[in-house]
Each structure stands twice: as structure tokens, then as C-alpha cells.
């Protein structure tokens, strides 16, 4: 059973699809965040006169985010079956949207489409004169038909019922439960800096947001935004305490990581993290737990799944978001300063001199 599941590579296909999904989330998330921040309405009717430029921006972003079930279905089907998986993935993703099974429906529909295509290619054999019809007609028609019917008549309703139950359960959570969920989301999202764990958490909280539960994804936004800013604050806290924790090259890295953090791009700190993984992971894990917990308890609720500080205008409880960010940043910075060893400036200078002394003439080929 285990080897069979390994062959299916479910996690690998999901992560591949999420990597296709994130640019859509970023692009559409920025548009709706900017549009709503400047007075736009994501439900504006663009077929009638009277809409503003910001209405257009917000509406385009909303339409993009509404296509996420289709994008995840298409991405998974493509990852499993390559190009033949695209058309069935698209159709079954749209079907998931149509029956109201949302992001979870799109996710399951993607696996359904991909493996249907694999089975069709393996078991349906065409005569030589008709082989050209396989990729153009046979595969997309049969896979879309079977997958679409299964989504409508078999799995669509149970998935919809499950998502409703999940939504009601999460909406009924009390303060203590929210605190625990916030800590879990914060820790998991903060320990691999946009890696597979972070992406898995993203897929989960995005699923919840598709059901109208915005607090979990806001906790993720808090962590992804606060982590690079915490690294930058740690530099100044260290200077204040006369403890130099960064090498010169790492300080240069901070100059790009900080603005990237403002818009929720956490990967900018990776060059620093890789030089001191354990201490950095501990610091960001503790900071993420604090930020995630505060965000959940204070009901910070971003209506967009991405954007960092740009997401603030979409929230009905922005104060909770700001407090969570500040706490996350401060804790991350303080723990980093405590844990990291001071950089020996004399050793760093010697290292730089040795690097400068390397000349092409000194290199020999044996």
C-alpha cells in the first residue's frame, strides 16, 4: 500500500500545482488589494457604465481568485499526465466550481482528471490511422466526460457537504482553540521560508478562505510578512546591544529581503538562514507562533490570500493584523539576537583578504 501511494506521488503533484497557483494568487491578490485599498469594489458590474479604474482592478483580482479551483485542478492534472491532462483538468475544475465544491473539489478533481488521462493512455488503443485523434479528441473528451460526471453525480455533493461542516466547525472555534490553531499555522508556516511545508499550509488555509474563513490565511500572511522584517530589525537590535550578528554580505541581503517582506515574499532571507539554519529556524518558529496566535485570537481577516501590508485595506479587523505583525517581528528579532553568535570582524576581514588574493595566475590545471 505504501509503495502504491509512493508511486502516485500525491504530495509531489500537489506541490507542483501549488507552484503554478501561487503566481495567480500573487497577481490577482495584488490587483484586488490595490483596487480595494483605493476605493474599488470587487463586485462592480463592468458591463455597465459608472465603474472606476479601482473597481476594474478589484474586479479583475476577484475574478482571478475565483478561478483558483480551476487552476489547482489543471495544475495537478498537468503534473500527473503532462499536456493531455490540461483540458480535462480545466473542465473538471470548472465543474467543481459549478457544483459548489470549491477549492477542495478542484483539488480532488485535478487528481481525478490526471489519473483518468493516465488510464486512458494505458488501456485505450487506437488503430494507426486514428492515433492522431488521441491527444486532440479521444483523451480530452473521455476524461472530461467521465471526470465531469463523477464530479456532478458522485463526489461533488459529499465534498460540498464536507466543506460546509468544516466551515461551521471552524467558525464555532473559541479563543483557546483559535490560539492553538494560530500557533500551529504560525510555526509550520515559518520554518521553511516558502518551502514545501509553507506551501502545504498555504493550500490548507486557502481552502478555508474559499469557504469564507479568512483568519487562518491571515495568520499565514502575518508570518510570511513579519519574518523578513524581523531579520532586519534584528540587525538594529544587535547594533543597539553592541552585538554584530550578521556578516557584511548578510547585511547586503537584508536590503533586498526587507522590502520583499513588506509584500509577503519571505524567500529573501534564505541566504542568511542557510548560513545558520538551526538558530534561524528556532527564532522564526517562536516568532511565527506568537504572530499566528495573536492574528487568530484577534480575528484578523484578510479578504485576499496574498499581499502582505497591501492586504490591510481588505480587513475588517486590521488592528489585530498590525499587532500580530509587530509582535512577530519583535519576537523574531530578539530571539535571533539572543541565539546567533557574534560575528568576528577580524576573521571576516581575513577571509575577505584571502578571497581578494586569489588570482587567475595562481590557478593550475593538473
Amino acid at each position: 500500500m505504501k509503495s502504491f501511494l509512493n508511486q502516485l506521488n500525491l504530495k509531489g503533484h500537489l506541490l507542483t500545482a501549488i507552484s503554478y497557483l501561487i503566481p495567480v494568487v500573487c497577481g490577482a491578490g495584488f490587483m484586488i488589494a490595490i483596487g480595494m485599498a483605493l476605493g474599488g469594489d470587487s463586485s462592480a458590474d463592468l458591463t455597465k457604465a459608472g465603474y472606476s479604474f479601482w473597481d476594474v482592478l478589484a474586479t479583475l483580482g476577484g475574478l482571478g481568485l475565483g478561478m483558483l479551483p480551476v487552476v489547482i485542478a489543471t495544475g495537478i492534472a498537468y503534473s500527473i499526465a503532462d499536456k493531455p491532462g490540461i483540458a480535462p483538468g480545466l473542465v473538471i475544475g470548472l465543474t467543481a466550481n459549478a457544483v459548489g465544491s470549491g477549492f477542495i473539489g478542484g483539488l480532488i478533481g485535478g487528481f481525478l482528471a490526471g489519473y483518468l488521462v493516465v488510464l486512458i493512455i494505458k488501456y485505450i488503443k487506437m488503430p494507426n490511422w486514428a492515433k492522431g485523434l488521441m491527444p486532440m479528441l479521444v483523451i480530452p473528451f473521455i476524461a472530461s466526460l467521465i471526470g465531469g460526471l463523477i464530479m456532478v453525480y458522485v463526489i461533488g455533493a459529499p465534498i460540498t457537504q464536507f466543506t460546509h461542516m468544516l466551515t461551521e466547525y471552524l467558525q464555532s472555534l473559541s479563543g483557546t482553540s483559535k490560539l492553538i490553531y494560530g500557533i500551529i499555522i504560525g510555526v509550520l508556516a515559518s520554518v521553511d521560508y516558502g518551502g514545501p511545508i509553507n506551501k502545504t499550509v498555504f493550500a490548507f488555509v486557502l481552502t478555508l478562505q474559499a469557504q469564507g474563513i479568512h483568519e487562518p490565511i491571515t495568520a499565514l500572511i502575518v508570518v510570511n510578512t513579519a519574518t523578513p522584517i524581523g531579520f532586519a530589525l534584528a540587525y538594529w537590535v544587535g547594533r543597539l546591544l553592541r552585538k554584530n550578528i550578521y556578516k557584511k554580505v548578510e547585511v547586503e541581503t537584508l536590503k533586498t529581503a526587507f522590502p520583499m517582506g513588506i509584500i509577503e515574499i519571505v524567500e529573501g532571507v534564505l541566504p542568511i538562514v542557510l548560513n545558520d539554519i538551526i538558530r534561524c529556524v528556532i527564532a522564526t518558529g517562536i516568532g511565527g507562533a506568537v504572530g499566528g496566535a495573536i492574528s487568530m485570537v484577534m480575528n484578523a481577516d484578510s479578504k485576499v490570500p496574498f499581499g502582505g501590508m497591501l492586504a490591510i485595506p481588505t480587513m475588517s479587523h486590521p488592528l489585530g493584523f498590525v499587532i500580530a505583525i509587530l509582535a512577530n517581528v519583535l519576537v523574531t528579532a530578539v530571539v535571533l539576537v539572543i541565539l546567533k553568535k557574534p560575528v568576528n570582524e577580524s576573521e571576516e576581514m581575513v577571509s575577505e583578504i584571502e578571497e581578494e588574493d586569489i588570482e587567475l595566475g595562481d590557478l593550475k590545471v593538473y
Side-chain angles (χ1 to χ4, degrees), residues 8 14 23 27 30 76 115 128 135 178 184 193 262 349 356:
L8 291 179
L14 175 61
F30 267 126
I76 292 173
Y115 290 122
N128 288 335
K178 283 188 174 181
I184 293 172
Y193 312 93
I262 296 291
M349 288 179 65
E356 289 173 359

Side-chain angles (χ1 to χ4, degrees), residues 13 24-25 44 48 79 90 123 166 203 232 285 323 330 349:
H13 296 310
V24 180
V25 172
K48 299 176 181 176
S79 176
L90 190 67
Y123 292 108
L166 184 64
I323 292 174
L330 186 60
M349 288 179 65

